[in-house]
Amino acid sequence: MEHERVLDETGWRILAELQEDGRISLSELGRRVALTPPAVAERVRRMEEAGIIKGYRAEIDRSRVGLPITVYIRWTATGNDCAALGEVAREIPEIVECHRVTGEESYVVKAAVRSVGHLEELINRLMPHGETKTSMVLSSAVEHRPVERDHVATDEPEAATPIRGRRRSA
């Protein structure tokens, strides 16, 4: 596969640096991964062309721009056209993510709103298209986790690793 040729050890180091700071200069990136700026630029270009790097964007603190409340809405189609919910979601600016999922719900929606009243307005816009169940985010333990080489599945079977620090009650 093309991505396997691009994602050698150096490729993974480049990805790690870019995920940490997408605005890093090519010369600084090259210094960190021991490549010349032209060589690192070529590596980055190949990762972009392979679709590994999809884009670069600023990470915004929504609370500082007037959207302090984050919610997750489990949204279930009431009719037979589940895909229509995705089309509706694309038209609603408060929706920052929308994923079609397996299970009882049709979609899981992440939205940002300015107030509880604004949330109520959003729910009222969604309800004609399906049933909603809403959870408000109180705090976030993990907001963004970079993709790392160790987390990517390989062809080698993994040994089961028990979760430490938690005991199941009988």
Side-chain angles (χ1 to χ4, degrees), residues 19-131:
Q19 287 179 93
E20 183 68 30
D21 180 3
R23 294 181 59 167
I24 190 171
S25 71
L26 292 174
S27 59
E28 178 60 23
L29 180 56
R31 270 193 293 280
R32 292 185 187 182
V33 300
L35 290 175
T36 65
V40 82
E42 175 63 19
R43 292 286 201 114
V44 170
R45 184 191 62 75
R46 286 189 2 229
M47 284 188 262
E48 290 169 345
E49 287 177 353
I52 294 166
I53 297 174
K54 294 180 8 176
Y56 305 86
R57 62 182 59 97
E59 188 174 331
I60 307 298
D61 182 338
R62 289 188 183 94
S63 67
R64 296 201 179 243
V65 296
L67 299 168
I69 300 171
T70 300
V71 297
Y72 283 90
I73 302 169
R74 293 164 313 283
W75 195 18
T76 306
T78 51
N80 291 331
D81 191 7
C82 186
L85 273 63
E87 294 171 22
V88 170
R90 282 191 271 292
E91 302 300 319
I92 299 174
E94 293 88 348
I95 295 176
V96 297
E97 292 181 25
C98 180
H99 307 279
R100 184 144 182 205
V101 296
T102 61
E104 293 181 26
E105 288 84 18
S106 305
Y107 286 85
V108 173
V109 172
K110 179 180 180 182
V113 295
R114 61 184 173 275
S115 65
V116 173
H118 188 194
L119 173 58
E120 183 177 16
E121 292 169 15
L122 172 61
I123 292 169
N124 287 342
R125 282 186 275 162
L126 298 177
M127 286 177 62
H129 306 282
E131 180 183 322

